[in-house]
Amino acid sequence: MSRPSQLALITLVYVLGALITLQSVPLDLASLLGGLAALLPIAVSVHYVNEYADYETDQLTERTPFSGGSGALQRTGLNRRFAWRAAWPALAVGVTAAILCVAHGFTVTTLGLLGSIAILGWQYSVGPLALVYRGAGEVTNAVLGGLVLPVYGASTQTGTIEFRVVLAMVPFTVLVLVNLLATHWPDRGADATVGKSTLATRWDPPRLRVAYAGLTVLAGSTLLVLTGPVFPPLVTAASVPAFALAVWGFQRYTRQQSPFPAVAAMVTLAVGQAGAWLWLVSP
């Protein structure tokens, strides 16, 4: 239920934010590891809550490797309340780690970013907001995973919100939204049955394809516009394979169930940019 592959991606995007800000500040390894120690249990708690909230959806949908939840509760026959009960100690571990980090120098800004990840991550799935049922799920998920998460990683190094990091993560955030359009597509029937208000349940395939194409173009255009002021040419070059995958994804979107191309595009962009930024900060 913790979805280890997603935790690995969360770690990568967290480090990506830190790598961008390391262009101008020295590495604070203790803060980086402390921030991760607080983040991962909170992310696990968010996944557990999502498994609890999506129990009915996951029973109805046909899972792919990238959609339909982990399927752990369905495979084991465990009651959905197991996930709910497991979420609270995981959250407690993350909060405790965050408090220890504050005692060792974390700023209110850094703590606030982590708190927003925890609160909105839970509220994506459960009440009182239950954002995915109110039509705000995709935007919330993209902003948290594509923007707030790496800004939090950068903040562990500086204690502030770095505007350069915010700008640098815009193309990735938009591509995360493209990924969500694709991953929600296989679940559209089950989501509609249980009352989720995703774009895939509200829009027809032609409109979804226009949104996919428009967002992909927006992400690529933003990358090009920011090359120079924000992105070194090396980072831009390392981003190109991701957009090739996104174009491939557009050709298949709404025509096949698997969201693999869009997922691959998002992951490739994170890996490529992280590698390029790491190269630039390496001695």
Side-chain angles (χ1 to χ4, degrees), residues 147-241:
L147 190 62
V148 179
L149 172 58
V151 170
Y152 165 66
S155 182
T156 65
Q157 302 301 294
T158 65
T160 62
I161 295 177
E162 293 288 315
F163 185 60
R164 184 188 184 193
V165 179
V166 173
L167 288 177
M169 296 310 302
V170 169
F172 180 74
T173 301
V174 177
L175 217 57
V176 171
L177 191 52
V178 171
N179 164 74
L180 291 168
L181 289 177
T183 54
H184 285 176
W185 172 253
D187 296 335
R188 64 196 182 282
D191 285 344
T193 299
V194 302
K196 282 188 178 183
S197 182
T198 66
L199 292 177
T201 66
R202 303 198 309 272
W203 291 359
D204 59 20
R207 189 176 183 184
L208 287 168
R209 288 177 60 80
V210 168
Y212 185 111
L215 288 169
T216 301
V217 170
L218 176 61
S221 301
T222 305
L223 179 73
L224 293 176
V225 168
L226 294 176
T227 299
V230 174
F231 291 111
L234 178 64
V235 177
T236 300
S239 305
V240 170

Side-chain angles (χ1 to χ4, degrees), residues 2-94:
S2 65
R3 304 180 190 178
S5 61
Q6 291 192 24
L7 294 179
L9 181 59
I10 286 170
T11 301
L12 173 64
V13 176
Y14 167 82
V15 171
L16 172 58
L19 286 171
I20 297 170
T21 203
L22 290 180
Q23 308 298 308
S24 55
V25 299
L27 171 65
D28 184 342
L29 183 59
S31 291
L32 186 68
L33 294 178
L36 186 61
L39 172 66
L40 288 180
I42 288 175
V44 167
S45 77
V46 170
H47 290 166
Y48 288 167
V49 166
N50 184 256
E51 293 285 311
Y52 165 78
D54 283 356
Y55 184 79
E56 292 180 352
T57 307
D58 295 346
Q59 279 189 314
L60 295 172
T61 194
E62 292 186 15
R63 292 186 64 248
T64 76
F66 312 101
S67 63
S70 72
L73 292 175
Q74 288 73 24
R75 288 196 303 271
T76 60
L78 288 168
N79 188 285
R80 67 186 298 182
R81 297 290 300 181
F82 177 82
W84 178 254
R85 290 192 295 267
W88 290 98
L91 179 63
V93 170

